[in-house]
C-alpha cells in the first residue's frame, strides 16, 4: 500500500515535469515538501489527503487547476495506460450527451442551450450541430454556462465558431510547455450546424463556471459577440492533464495557457467578469429582460 508521502511525491514529480510555469513548479514543490517534513499529511484518509494537499498547492501557487483529486473509480497505474485523463473524459461526455443538458425555445422565440461540459470537437460535433439546428431560427440565443465545469479547448473553439460569419476570426492561442509551441485557434470553415449570425447572444455565468466554459464566455465577450450575464466565474484558464498517482488519487497538472487575441491575456485567477452582474439564479431573467426590454 502506498504511503501518503509516496503519493504526494508522485504528484510533485508530475507537477515538476509538466506544469506550464516551471519556475512556479519549483516554488510549489519546495512548499509541499516542507509540509511533508512537518508531517502535515500523516494519517489523512484519501479524500481528506486530496483536499489538504490541494489547499496547500493553491496556497503556494493560486492556480485552480492545480489539484489532487479523489476518485471512487480505480485507476490504472501502468505508464502505457496514462493518457492524461482523455479516455475518462470522453467516456464522461458520452454519458452526459456531449455536455448538452437541454435545448429549449422560450417565449418570444428566444433559443436556450444549457451546457454542463464542453465536448471534444470530434466526438461532440454531431450533438453540437443538432443543438444549433434546433435554435437556428430563434431571434436571440441564451447560452447557459452556469453549471459548466469545463472541457475541450477544441470543442470550445467549435462552439464559438458558430457565432461568427466565416472562418477568418482568430479566436485565441494556447501555449504548450510540452512542445514549447503556440497553437492558434480560428473559427472553423466547416461546421456541424448552422452559423448563428447577426443576432444577439447572451451567456449566463456563475461562480461555478470553470475552464472550458470560461473559454467560451471569455472569447465571445472579448470579440464583442456576446453579452455575459451573471456572476464572475471561477478563473481557470490553463488546459490540464490528469495523471493517476495512486489507485484512487489523480493529480491535475496545467500544461498550457490560453492567450486572447483581443486582450493579450486570459481569465486565470480573475474569472470572466460579467457585463450585467446579477446573482446566478437571476441571470436568465436578466438576460431575457435585455432581449425583451
Amino acid at each position: 500500500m502506498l504511503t501518503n508521502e509516496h503519493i504526494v511525491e508522485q504528484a510533485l514529480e508530475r507537477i515538476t515535469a509538466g506544469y506550464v510555469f516551471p519556475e512556479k513548479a519549483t516554488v510549489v514543490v519546495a512548499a509541499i515538501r516542507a509540509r511533508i517534513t512537518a508531517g502535515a499529511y500523516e494519517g489523512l484518509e484519501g479524500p481528506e489527503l486530496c483536499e489538504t494537499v490541494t489547499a496547500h498547492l493553491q496556497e503556494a501557487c493560486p492556480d485552480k487547476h492545480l489539484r489532487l483529486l479523489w476518485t471512487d473509480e480505480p485507476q490504472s497505474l501502468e505508464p502505457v495506460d496514462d493518457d492524461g485523463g482523455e479516455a475518462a473524459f470522453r467516456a464522461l461526455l458520452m454519458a452526459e450527451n456531449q455536455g448538452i443538458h437541454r435545448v429549449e425555445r422560450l417565449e418570444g422565440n428566444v433559443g436556450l442551450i444549457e451546457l454542463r461540459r464542453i465536448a471534444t470537437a470530434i466526438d461532440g460535433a454531431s450533438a453540437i450541430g443538432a443543438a444549433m439546428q434546433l435554435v437556428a431560427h430563434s431571434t436571440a440565443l441564451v447560452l447557459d454556462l452556469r453549471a459548466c465545469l469545463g472541457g475541450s479547448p477544441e470543442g470550445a473553439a467549435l462552439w464559438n465558431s458558430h457565432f461568427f460569419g466565416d472562418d477568418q476570426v482568430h479566436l485565441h492561442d494556447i501555449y504548450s510547455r510540452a512542445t514549447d509551441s503556440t497553437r492558434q485557434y480560428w473559427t472553423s470553415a466547416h461546421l456541424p450546424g448552422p452559423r448563428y449570425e447577426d443576432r444577439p447572444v447572451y451567456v449566463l455565468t456563475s461562480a461555478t463556471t470553470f475552464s472550458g466554459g470560461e473559454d467560451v464566455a471569455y472569447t465571445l465577450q472579448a470579440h464583442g459577440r456576446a453579452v455575459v450575464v451573471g456572476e464572475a466565474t471561477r478563473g481557470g484558464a490553463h488546459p490540464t492533464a490528469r495523471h493517476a498517482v495512486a489507485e484512487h488519487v489523480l493529480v491535475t497538472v496545467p500544461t498550457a495557457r490560453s492567450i486572447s487575441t483581443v486582450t493579450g491575456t486570459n481569465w486565470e485567477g480573475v474569472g470572466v467578469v460579467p457585463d450585467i452582474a446579477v446573482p446566478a439564479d437571476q441571470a436568465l431573467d436578466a438576460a431575457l429582460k435585455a432581449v425583451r426590454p
Side-chain angles (χ1 to χ4, degrees):
M1 181 177 178
L2 298 179
T3 65
N4 285 354
E5 180 177 344
H6 181 81
I7 292 170
V8 176
E9 283 289 352
Q10 290 288 102
L12 294 181
E13 287 183 16
R14 288 292 189 177
I15 292 168
T16 298
Y19 189 47
V20 64
F21 299 110
E23 68 284 358
K24 293 183 180 180
T26 300
V27 174
V28 168
V29 169
I32 299 303
R33 284 186 173 150
R35 299 277 191 177
I36 293 173
T37 300
Y41 308 127
E42 293 177 6
L44 299 182
E45 297 296 328
E48 186 182 6
L49 173 67
C50 292
E51 292 174 7
T52 303
V53 173
T54 296
H56 292 163
L57 287 170
Q58 296 184 5
E59 180 181 314
C61 178
D63 184 326
K64 291 187 173 67
H65 274 116
L66 197 58
R67 296 173 292 174
L68 219 58
L69 300 176
W70 176 263
T71 173
D72 291 330
E73 187 72 22
Q75 305 295 305
S76 171
L77 298 178
E78 294 297 323
V80 69
D81 295 327
D82 184 12
D83 64 354
E86 181 178 352
F89 176 62
R90 292 175 68 180
L92 174 65
L93 285 167
M94 186 176 295
E96 295 188 358
N97 195 37
Q98 300 301 331
I100 301 170
H101 187 67
R102 63 173 172 150
V103 182
E104 290 186 26
R105 178 183 175 277
L106 304 178
E107 183 180 349
N109 196 28
V110 176
L112 171 70
I113 299 176
E114 180 181 353
L115 300 181
R116 298 288 178 91
R117 307 271 181 180
I118 305 298
T120 66
I122 294 175
D123 293 344
S126 60
I128 293 169
M132 291 305 301
Q133 185 64 59
L134 289 173
V135 300
H137 302 294
S138 59
T139 56
L141 178 65
V142 174
L143 191 60
D144 188 349
L145 303 177
R146 288 176 292 181
C148 188
L149 299 177
S152 162
E154 291 77 16
L158 182 61
W159 273 109
N160 285 334
S161 293
H162 286 82
F163 303 107
F164 296 89
D166 54 36
D167 61 348
Q168 300 300 308
V169 180
H170 186 181
L171 296 170
H172 63 94
D173 298 329
I174 293 183
Y175 168 78
S176 168
R177 175 186 170 184
T179 61
D180 191 26
S181 63
T182 299
R183 175 178 173 180
Q184 296 182 346
Y185 286 78
W186 293 69
T187 48
S188 299
H190 304 287
L191 297 174
R195 294 186 187 274
Y196 198 89
E197 304 174 58
D198 305 321
R199 283 164 288 171
V201 177
Y202 294 83
V203 176
L204 310 186
T205 59
S206 75
T208 299
T209 309
F210 192 53
S211 193
E214 294 177 288
D215 183 344
V216 173
Y218 188 91
T219 301
L220 292 178
Q221 181 190 56
H223 284 271
R225 190 57 191 91
V227 175
V228 176
V229 184
E231 299 170 344
T233 59
R234 282 176 64 190
H238 297 153
T240 301
R242 295 186 175 198
H243 304 285
V245 292
E247 191 176 34
H248 293 280
V249 180
L250 302 169
V251 61
T252 67
V253 182
T255 58
R257 60 185 176 90
S258 298
I259 307 164
S260 169
T261 55
V262 177
T263 68
T265 183
N266 57 45
W267 59 95
E268 179 63 37
V270 296
V272 181
V273 179
D275 300 296
I276 302 174
V278 295
D281 60 1
Q282 299 174 24
L284 178 57
D285 288 340
L288 293 177
K289 183 177 179 180
V291 173
R292 307 188 292 259

